[in-house]
Amino acid sequence: MRLVSAAGRVLTGAATAAALVAGSTAAVALPVPTVADVTAASPGPYARLHPLADLSARRLATADLVAAAKYGTGGGPVDDPAREKQVLDAVARAAREAGADPRATVRIFRDQIDANKAVQRELFRRWDADPSEAPRERPDLAEVREEIDRVNAELVRGIAASAGARTAPYCGGVLTAATAHVRHTDRLDALHSLALERALRSVCAG
């Protein structure tokens, strides 16, 4: 995953993107669960659900960049219904092509979008309260959206590949462990940790 701009190259993980924001909250320290801790079954469920948590964190990393691109520049409000519809229509088409359930895919992506916007709103609030924390670099919004589209494509494939795991009774427990692992390895702060949970709330069907 690469962007042309220097700002885009920070998208190697949510913690790195968060470095664009001065004064972010401290990282949440969590133990790293092993596969044995995650499930007594085969490692298959974890292997299918962990990518969804990882990709969701990567997608959330873009929220910092979108916020930095928009803040104080007239780049547009946090809510962008036209862009959201474009994304949801695109992932529904991609889901059909990948053999995934379009309705489930769209439901998951609505949560992804809501989580992304929650991060943007909180960053705007912080920057309004303390302008010294506002980002000095302005990422290219078009490039950031290209990166979001690339992550979206990977996430759709991950959703398609995890259909069985997402509908299984163990989904909630396995996803919780996978999410904890991602939060630890990416050293997510409280804002991004809460947003990640929000982004994943519809992954487990039922």
Side-chain angles (χ1 to χ4, degrees), residues 12-158:
T12 55
T16 310
L20 288 173
V21 185
S24 62
T25 56
V28 177
L30 293 169
V32 182
T34 64
V35 172
D37 295 328
V38 173
T39 177
S42 72
Y46 186 85
R48 298 204 184 282
L49 292 171
H50 182 274
L52 301 185
D54 182 57
L55 289 166
S56 295
R58 284 170 54 188
R59 195 179 192 283
L60 268 180
T62 66
D64 298 66
L65 298 174
V66 172
K70 289 182 175 181
Y71 186 75
T73 65
V78 170
D79 290 289
D80 188 346
R83 166 67 179 171
E84 292 172 24
K85 183 178 186 305
Q86 181 185 47
V87 169
L88 295 176
D89 288 347
V91 299
R93 288 193 301 270
R96 285 190 287 269
E97 293 171 1
D101 180 351
R103 289 176 298 179
T105 302
V106 167
R107 184 169 61 248
I108 292 169
F109 269 90
R110 286 189 189 279
D111 289 343
Q112 298 281 325
I113 291 170
D114 286 346
N116 195 290
K117 291 193 296 185
V119 171
Q120 291 182 53
R121 289 193 184 97
E122 175 58 20
L123 293 177
F124 277 23
R125 186 197 67 76
R126 293 180 185 179
W127 299 338
D128 284 341
D130 185 355
S132 68
E133 292 190 3
R136 298 178 181 178
E137 295 185 25
R138 298 294 184 185
D140 185 311
L141 186 57
E143 289 186 358
V144 178
R145 284 177 170 172
E146 286 178 3
E147 176 61 21
I148 293 173
D149 290 342
R150 283 191 288 270
V151 176
N152 287 352
E154 292 186 55
L155 190 52
V156 169
R157 290 192 291 271

Side-chain angles (χ1 to χ4, degrees), residues 122-204:
E122 175 58 20
L123 293 177
F124 277 23
R125 186 197 67 76
R126 293 180 185 179
W127 299 338
D128 284 341
D130 185 355
S132 68
E133 292 190 3
R136 298 178 181 178
E137 295 185 25
R138 298 294 184 185
D140 185 311
L141 186 57
E143 289 186 358
V144 178
R145 284 177 170 172
E146 286 178 3
E147 176 61 21
I148 293 173
D149 290 342
R150 283 191 288 270
V151 176
N152 287 352
E154 292 186 55
L155 190 52
V156 169
R157 290 192 291 271
I159 292 169
S162 61
R166 288 188 296 102
T167 56
Y170 54 69
C171 179
V174 175
L175 184 64
T176 295
T179 303
H181 186 272
V182 169
R183 282 160 51 191
H184 178 88
T185 55
D186 286 357
R187 299 184 61 81
L188 300 188
D189 61 16
L191 171 61
H192 293 81
S193 294
L194 290 173
L196 181 59
E197 292 181 8
R198 183 172 187 170
L200 294 168
R201 62 187 176 186
S202 293
V203 164
C204 295

